[in-house]
Amino acid sequence: MSLFICACAASSAAAQSLTGNVGSAGVSEGGRAAEVRAGLDDAGTAAARVHFEQAFSGWYQLRAIAAFRQPEDGGWEYSGLTLENWFQWSEESRDGAGFNGGLRLAYTVADGDGGDEAAARLTLTDRFAEGWEWRANLIAAAGTSDGAESGVDLESRLQLTRSLPGAAFAGGTWRLGAELFSEYGNSRDIPGLDQQAHQIGPVIKAEWDNGVYIQAGARAGLTDGADDTMMKIFLGREF
Protein backbone atom coordinates (compact mmCIF):
# COMPACT_ATOMS: atom_id res chain seq x y z
CA MET A 1 0.00 0.00 0.00
CA SER A 2 1.41 3.31 -1.02
CA LEU A 3 0.95 5.89 1.66
CA PHE A 4 1.99 9.43 2.13
CA ILE A 5 1.67 12.65 4.02
CA CYS A 6 3.53 15.85 3.30
CA ALA A 7 6.12 16.26 6.03
CA CYS A 8 4.83 19.22 8.02
CA ALA A 9 6.30 19.34 11.52
CA ALA A 10 4.98 21.93 13.95
CA SER A 11 5.80 23.50 17.27
CA SER A 12 2.23 24.36 18.20
CA ALA A 13 -1.03 22.44 18.37
CA ALA A 14 -2.72 24.78 15.89
CA ALA A 15 -0.38 23.56 13.13
CA GLN A 16 -0.83 19.82 13.75
CA SER A 17 -1.40 17.76 10.63
CA LEU A 18 -4.99 16.58 10.19
CA THR A 19 -4.10 14.20 7.36
CA GLY A 20 -0.90 12.66 8.74
CA ASN A 21 0.23 9.12 8.06
CA VAL A 22 3.02 6.84 9.19
CA GLY A 23 4.44 6.02 5.78
CA SER A 24 6.76 3.35 4.41
CA ALA A 25 9.13 3.30 1.42
CA GLY A 26 6.79 1.31 -0.84
CA VAL A 27 8.53 1.97 -4.20
CA SER A 28 7.68 -0.48 -7.03
CA GLU A 29 9.07 0.20 -10.51
CA GLY A 30 6.37 1.52 -12.85
CA GLY A 31 3.84 1.84 -10.04
CA ARG A 32 1.52 4.82 -9.78
CA ALA A 33 -1.30 5.84 -7.45
CA ALA A 34 -3.77 8.63 -6.75
CA GLU A 35 -5.15 9.44 -3.30
CA VAL A 36 -7.48 11.83 -1.49
CA ARG A 37 -7.23 12.55 2.25
CA ALA A 38 -9.41 14.49 4.67
CA GLY A 39 -9.16 15.31 8.36
CA LEU A 40 -11.13 17.22 10.99
CA ASP A 41 -10.21 18.46 14.49
CA ASP A 42 -12.34 19.24 17.54
CA ALA A 43 -12.30 22.98 16.73
CA GLY A 44 -14.04 22.39 13.39
CA THR A 45 -10.98 22.98 11.19
CA ALA A 46 -10.78 20.64 8.20
CA ALA A 47 -7.92 19.80 5.83
CA ALA A 48 -7.61 17.78 2.63
CA ARG A 49 -4.89 16.61 0.25
CA VAL A 50 -5.00 15.30 -3.31
CA HIS A 51 -1.92 13.68 -4.74
CA PHE A 52 -0.49 11.57 -7.53
CA GLU A 53 2.68 9.48 -7.49
CA GLN A 54 4.81 7.75 -10.13
CA ALA A 55 7.71 5.34 -9.56
CA PHE A 56 10.48 5.67 -12.16
CA SER A 57 12.60 2.77 -10.88
CA GLY A 58 12.60 0.20 -8.10
CA TRP A 59 14.15 2.72 -5.73
CA TYR A 60 12.93 6.21 -6.81
CA GLN A 61 9.43 7.70 -6.85
CA LEU A 62 8.05 11.24 -7.30
CA ARG A 63 4.86 12.47 -5.71
CA ALA A 64 2.93 15.74 -6.23
CA ILE A 65 0.48 16.91 -3.54
CA ALA A 66 -2.05 19.73 -3.56
CA ALA A 67 -3.17 20.75 -0.06
CA PHE A 68 -6.38 22.51 1.00
CA ARG A 69 -7.66 23.83 4.34
CA GLN A 70 -11.04 24.95 5.67
CA PRO A 71 -10.87 27.10 8.82
CA GLU A 72 -13.77 26.92 11.25
CA ASP A 73 -16.86 28.62 9.71
CA GLY A 74 -14.85 29.43 6.56
CA GLY A 75 -14.62 28.18 3.00
CA TRP A 76 -12.09 25.81 1.47
CA GLU A 77 -8.74 27.41 0.59
CA TYR A 78 -5.82 26.12 -1.45
CA SER A 79 -2.76 26.12 0.84
CA GLY A 80 0.18 24.80 -1.18
CA LEU A 81 1.87 22.38 -3.57
CA THR A 82 4.46 19.83 -2.51
CA LEU A 83 6.88 17.79 -4.62
CA GLU A 84 8.29 14.82 -2.76
CA ASN A 85 11.14 12.52 -3.79
CA TRP A 86 11.14 8.97 -2.38
CA PHE A 87 14.32 6.91 -2.18
CA GLN A 88 14.12 3.27 -1.03
CA TRP A 89 17.41 1.89 0.32
CA SER A 90 16.21 -1.41 1.80
CA GLU A 91 13.44 -3.73 0.55
CA GLU A 92 11.42 -6.47 2.25
CA SER A 93 11.26 -10.01 0.88
CA ARG A 94 8.97 -10.99 -2.00
CA ASP A 95 6.21 -12.16 0.37
CA GLY A 96 6.10 -8.72 2.03
CA ALA A 97 7.75 -9.82 5.27
CA GLY A 98 10.87 -8.25 6.74
CA PHE A 99 12.37 -4.77 6.81
CA ASN A 100 12.25 -1.87 4.40
CA GLY A 101 13.68 1.59 4.74
CA GLY A 102 13.57 4.81 2.78
CA LEU A 103 14.24 8.54 2.70
CA ARG A 104 11.86 11.25 1.48
CA LEU A 105 12.92 14.77 0.51
CA ALA A 106 10.11 17.27 -0.02
CA TYR A 107 9.68 20.92 -0.91
CA THR A 108 6.41 22.81 -0.36
CA VAL A 109 5.52 26.02 -2.19
CA ALA A 110 2.92 27.63 0.05
CA ASP A 111 0.06 29.82 -1.17
CA GLY A 112 -0.54 33.30 0.21
CA ASP A 113 1.13 34.23 3.48
CA GLY A 114 2.32 30.72 4.29
CA GLY A 115 6.08 30.21 4.07
CA ASP A 116 7.76 27.65 1.81
CA GLU A 117 9.27 24.62 3.52
CA ALA A 118 11.85 21.90 2.92
CA ALA A 119 11.49 18.59 4.75
CA ALA A 120 13.27 15.25 5.12
CA ARG A 121 11.72 12.02 6.42
CA LEU A 122 13.35 8.72 7.34
CA THR A 123 10.89 5.81 7.01
CA LEU A 124 11.37 2.42 8.67
CA THR A 125 8.99 -0.56 8.37
CA ASP A 126 9.20 -4.15 9.58
CA ARG A 127 6.68 -6.99 9.26
CA PHE A 128 7.22 -9.77 11.79
CA ALA A 129 5.58 -12.43 13.95
CA GLU A 130 2.66 -13.63 11.82
CA GLY A 131 1.03 -10.44 10.64
CA TRP A 132 2.45 -7.79 12.98
CA GLU A 133 4.01 -4.65 11.49
CA TRP A 134 5.72 -1.64 13.03
CA ARG A 135 6.47 1.64 11.30
CA ALA A 136 8.56 4.60 12.40
CA ASN A 137 8.96 8.00 10.71
CA LEU A 138 11.48 10.63 11.79
CA ILE A 139 10.81 14.06 10.25
CA ALA A 140 12.75 17.34 10.13
CA ALA A 141 11.38 20.46 8.42
CA ALA A 142 12.64 24.01 8.00
CA GLY A 143 11.16 27.18 6.53
CA THR A 144 12.93 28.57 3.46
CA SER A 145 11.10 31.86 2.87
CA ASP A 146 12.47 35.26 3.87
CA GLY A 147 11.90 35.80 7.57
CA ALA A 148 11.39 32.11 8.32
CA GLU A 149 12.15 30.99 11.86
CA SER A 150 15.63 29.58 12.29
CA GLY A 151 16.16 26.03 13.49
CA VAL A 152 14.46 22.80 12.45
CA ASP A 153 11.03 21.50 13.48
CA LEU A 154 11.29 17.91 14.74
CA GLU A 155 8.61 15.21 14.67
CA SER A 156 8.22 11.44 14.98
CA ARG A 157 5.38 9.07 14.08
CA LEU A 158 5.04 5.48 15.27
CA GLN A 159 2.51 2.83 14.24
CA LEU A 160 1.92 -0.79 15.25
CA THR A 161 -0.70 -2.87 13.39
CA ARG A 162 -1.73 -6.48 12.98
CA SER A 163 -3.52 -8.18 10.12
CA LEU A 164 -7.01 -9.36 11.04
CA PRO A 165 -7.26 -13.15 10.64
CA GLY A 166 -10.40 -14.19 8.79
CA ALA A 167 -11.30 -10.55 8.10
CA ALA A 168 -11.09 -10.73 4.33
CA PHE A 169 -14.73 -9.65 4.01
CA ALA A 170 -15.52 -7.76 0.82
CA GLY A 171 -12.40 -9.36 -0.62
CA GLY A 172 -10.04 -7.03 1.26
CA THR A 173 -6.99 -7.42 3.49
CA TRP A 174 -7.40 -5.57 6.78
CA ARG A 175 -5.03 -4.29 9.47
CA LEU A 176 -5.90 -2.81 12.88
CA GLY A 177 -3.60 -1.04 15.30
CA ALA A 178 -2.55 2.19 16.97
CA GLU A 179 -0.31 5.13 16.21
CA LEU A 180 1.53 7.80 18.20
CA PHE A 181 2.28 11.22 16.67
CA SER A 182 4.81 13.45 18.46
CA GLU A 183 5.78 17.02 17.55
CA TYR A 184 8.70 18.20 19.68
CA GLY A 185 8.99 21.79 18.53
CA ASN A 186 11.87 23.76 17.02
CA SER A 187 15.43 22.56 17.59
CA ARG A 188 16.46 26.10 18.53
CA ASP A 189 14.26 26.07 21.63
CA ILE A 190 12.45 22.78 22.34
CA PRO A 191 9.66 23.30 24.93
CA GLY A 192 8.93 21.10 27.92
CA LEU A 193 7.11 17.81 27.43
CA ASP A 194 3.64 19.14 28.28
CA GLN A 195 3.94 21.96 25.74
CA GLN A 196 4.90 19.55 22.98
CA ALA A 197 2.15 17.98 20.84
CA HIS A 198 1.70 14.25 21.48
CA GLN A 199 -1.38 12.33 20.26
CA ILE A 200 -2.35 8.65 20.27
CA GLY A 201 -5.23 6.69 18.77
CA PRO A 202 -6.49 3.71 16.74
CA VAL A 203 -6.04 3.20 13.01
CA ILE A 204 -7.59 0.72 10.56
CA LYS A 205 -6.36 0.02 7.03
CA ALA A 206 -7.68 -2.11 4.16
CA GLU A 207 -6.64 -2.86 0.58
CA TRP A 208 -8.17 -4.85 -2.27
CA ASP A 209 -6.79 -6.75 -5.25
CA ASN A 210 -8.07 -4.07 -7.66
CA GLY A 211 -5.66 -1.54 -6.09
CA VAL A 212 -8.18 0.38 -3.99
CA TYR A 213 -7.14 1.09 -0.40
CA ILE A 214 -8.58 2.97 2.54
CA GLN A 215 -7.36 4.13 5.93
CA ALA A 216 -9.22 5.72 8.84
CA GLY A 217 -8.13 6.79 12.28
CA ALA A 218 -8.61 9.08 15.24
CA ARG A 219 -6.19 10.54 17.78
CA ALA A 220 -6.55 12.11 21.21
CA GLY A 221 -4.13 14.58 22.79
CA LEU A 222 -1.81 13.39 25.54
CA THR A 223 -0.33 16.81 26.38
CA ASP A 224 -1.52 20.40 26.74
CA GLY A 225 0.27 21.33 23.51
CA ALA A 226 -1.78 18.88 21.42
CA ASP A 227 -5.23 19.17 19.86
CA ASP A 228 -7.83 17.38 21.97
CA THR A 229 -9.12 15.12 19.19
CA MET A 230 -8.92 14.64 15.44
CA MET A 231 -10.26 12.21 12.82
CA LYS A 232 -8.96 11.30 9.37
CA ILE A 233 -9.87 9.18 6.34
CA PHE A 234 -7.84 8.36 3.21
CA LEU A 235 -9.01 6.79 -0.04
CA GLY A 236 -6.71 5.87 -2.90
CA ARG A 237 -5.99 3.51 -5.75
CA GLU A 238 -2.82 2.01 -7.18
CA PHE A 239 -2.83 1.34 -10.92
Side-chain angles (χ1 to χ4, degrees), residues 91-99:
E91 187 173 2
E92 63 273 81
S93 61
R94 289 184 178 274
D95 64 1
F99 177 84

Side-chain angles (χ1 to χ4, degrees), residues 97-200:
F99 177 84
N100 82 49
L103 177 68
R104 304 184 189 183
L105 301 176
Y107 193 87
T108 299
V109 179
D111 185 58
D113 296 332
D116 294 355
E117 182 183 77
R121 178 194 301 222
L122 177 66
T123 67
L124 306 172
T125 303
D126 188 23
R127 288 193 176 181
F128 65 100
E130 297 185 1
W132 287 94
E133 178 189 87
W134 64 262
R135 294 184 176 192
N137 290 183
L138 305 176
I139 302 169
T144 62
S145 300
D146 292 342
E149 182 181 14
S150 62
V152 177
D153 291 328
L154 302 173
E155 180 179 356
S156 67
R157 298 175 182 177
L158 305 175
Q159 184 185 89
L160 179 65
T161 62
R162 189 183 190 283
S163 59
L164 299 179
F169 46 88
T173 301
W174 295 74
R175 304 189 68 85
L176 178 65
E179 51 190 19
L180 172 67
F181 280 44
S182 297
E183 298 177 2
Y184 304 101
N186 190 280
S187 61
R188 190 167 58 90
D189 185 19
I190 295 179
L193 177 63
D194 203 46
Q195 296 307 308
Q196 298 172 14
H198 298 272
Q199 291 183 319
I200 194 170

Side-chain angles (χ1 to χ4, degrees), residues 193-231:
L193 177 63
D194 203 46
Q195 296 307 308
Q196 298 172 14
H198 298 272
Q199 291 183 319
I200 194 170
V203 63
I204 187 167
K205 302 188 285 186
E207 55 184 321
W208 289 267
D209 292 340
N210 62 3
V212 173
Y213 59 88
I214 190 170
Q215 179 179 158
R219 298 195 306 270
L222 296 173
T223 56
D224 288 344
D227 292 329
D228 290 337
T229 58
M230 62 78 62
M231 298 178 292

Side-chain angles (χ1 to χ4, degrees), residues 27-40:
V27 178
S28 299
E29 185 171 3
R32 59 176 62 92
E35 185 175 332
V36 178
R37 298 185 174 198
L40 179 69

